[in-house]
Amino acid sequence: MCGIVGFFAKDGGGQAEIGQTILGMLRALGCRGPDSAGVALYGPPDDGRFVVRVKLGDDGDLESRAHQISSRLESFNGVSHFSTIGAYARFLVAGETDLQQLTAAIESLDKDFEVVSMGRRLEIVKQTGSPDNLEKTYCVSRMKGTHGVGHTRLSTESRVDLSHSQPFWSHGFPDLAIVHNGHITNYHQLRRRYEQHGVRFYTENDSEVVAIYLSEQISKGATLREALERMLRDLDGSYSCLAATERELGFVKDTFALKPLVMTETNEFVAVATEEIAIRAALPGQYSVREAQVRELRVWQR
């Protein structure tokens, strides 16, 4: 019952109303997933620096926890614009920063700390509750950029908290994010294989393995299209999935095609969603919407 959405602006110079559009699509799908909502938005690049968002925790003294992170960052060069809002700390780091070392340094401070997103353009914001709650806390409708994905979640197998919410970052590969609706039936087999190679899992959500799998494939030199093609081969189950990188948006629909997914493409934009109502609600105009087909895979690139 989860809802997923994606939007790709073909022009606008990085100043399209990405946040407002993704939020409008999510609101139309709010009844599919009342447990949590989240967005992964791709803004304009910031002179090669990386944007980092860190989950401070689900409760407790978040201000004190933010101070812990701020103090730890003093040992890294090129850190700037540190701020906090809601459950997140946000800051910029220089492009030459060792991102794995930075992540390890932050997450070693407290078991509740988690680097939720990291990228030259990517920012993930998610929380429990409705899309309206997300907007009230983080004003995502004000964010501009080029493309993005969003998710509303109905929890069927795992906890309802910020970490288990979607989108998922790849936890390693900058700017890669996914949203997923469905079930990965060989999840436990894949998870054991990754854990044997030292990969850390942050949740019990089977969608997390999708981000890890795509990150592995792209890190080995695959394009996003090639990684999604291999996903059809290696990840069993019934699912629809959207994936985005710094310059791309793509989707894949599995062999069984039990999970709904519709799309439209015009001269101005591409929009993909679980239901047509999400596209129509956020994007008025004259265009046709069609159902994605069995094993269909599409990728758009800037």
Side-chain angles (χ1 to χ4, degrees):
M1 285 295 291
C2 297
I4 62 176
V5 303
F7 180 77
F8 184 91
K10 292 184 176 180
D11 53 19
Q15 293 298 316
E17 302 287 347
I18 297 299
Q20 180 176 318
T21 301
I22 294 290
L23 182 66
M25 296 172 80
L26 287 181
R27 281 174 167 154
L29 295 181
C31 61
R32 295 186 64 92
D35 290 331
S36 66
V39 298
L41 305 178
Y42 292 79
D46 195 337
D47 301 325
R49 292 180 291 182
F50 289 94
V51 183
V52 183
R53 280 189 176 267
V54 181
K55 183 195 82 169
L56 300 173
D58 292 296
D59 50 37
D61 187 354
L62 301 185
E63 183 177 346
S64 175
R65 293 178 181 179
H67 181 70
Q68 276 186 274
I69 294 174
S70 178
S71 298
R72 183 66 181 87
L73 291 175
E74 292 177 1
S75 61
F76 288 85
N77 294 324
V79 176
S80 62
H81 296 81
F82 186 93
S83 63
T84 61
I85 181 170
Y88 294 95
R90 179 189 185 274
F91 55 91
L92 304 180
V93 296
E96 63 273 12
T97 302
D98 186 322
L99 301 182
Q100 290 187 338
Q101 182 183 0
L102 176 67
T103 299
I106 292 171
E107 295 183 345
S108 66
L109 294 173
D110 190 295
K111 63 180 179 60
D112 289 332
F113 291 165
E114 177 190 348
V115 177
V116 171
S117 68
M118 185 182 292
R120 291 181 176 85
R121 301 177 63 188
L122 168 66
E123 294 199 52
I124 289 178
V125 183
K126 52 186 178 178
Q127 69 174 25
T128 57
S130 68
D132 284 330
N133 287 343
L134 191 72
E135 168 67 3
K136 182 178 179 180
T137 305
Y138 299 106
C139 299
V140 296
S141 64
R142 299 179 185 176
M143 299 177 72
K144 300 181 186 298
T146 55
H147 59 293
V149 297
H151 189 274
T152 60
R153 179 175 182 239
L154 176 67
S155 175
T156 56
E157 296 181 355
S158 54
R159 295 169 55 188
V160 177
D161 62 13
L162 190 154
S163 291
H164 283 80
S165 305
Q166 295 192 46
F168 280 117
W169 176 51
S170 62
H171 282 293
F173 193 89
D175 286 297
L176 174 62
I178 70 100
V179 290
H180 165 257
N181 176 31
H183 294 88
I184 307 300
T185 54
N186 60 338
Y187 159 71
H188 292 288
Q189 178 186 10
L190 292 166
R191 177 169 179 151
R192 285 194 298 271
R193 189 192 83 185
Y194 281 120
E195 289 180 331
Q196 288 169 357
H197 289 85
V199 175
R200 176 185 174 185
F201 281 73
Y202 292 77
T203 76
E204 301 297 325
N205 190 324
D206 62 345
S207 303
E208 186 180 7
V209 81
V210 177
I212 292 171
Y213 176 86
L214 294 178
S215 172
E216 176 191 47
Q217 297 301 316
I218 294 174
S219 295
K220 290 179 178 179
T223 64
L224 178 61
R225 175 178 292 277
E226 291 169 339
L228 291 173
E229 290 172 348
R230 296 171 189 176
M231 177 178 165
L232 280 173
R233 177 194 67 195
D234 294 336
L235 273 65
D236 298 333
S238 175
Y239 53 80
S240 294
C241 179
L242 294 172
T245 66
E246 184 178 1
R247 298 177 59 83
E248 298 166 297
L249 173 70
F251 76 78
V252 63
K253 195 168 183 178
D254 75 282
T255 305
F256 303 102
L258 296 178
K259 298 299 180 181
L261 195 70
V262 298
M263 64 153 292
T264 186
E265 180 173 7
T266 72
N267 292 331
E268 290 76 37
F269 63 83
V270 174
V272 189
T274 304
E275 295 183 35
E276 182 174 347
I277 189 175
I279 299 176
R280 299 289 184 188
L283 297 161
Q286 297 296 318
Y287 51 80
S288 60
V289 177
R290 69 170 180 86
E291 178 79 22
Q293 301 303 299
V294 173
R295 296 179 64 88
E296 184 170 355
L297 187 160
R298 297 286 303 274
V299 175
W300 293 267
Q301 184 178 51
R302 297 192 66 79

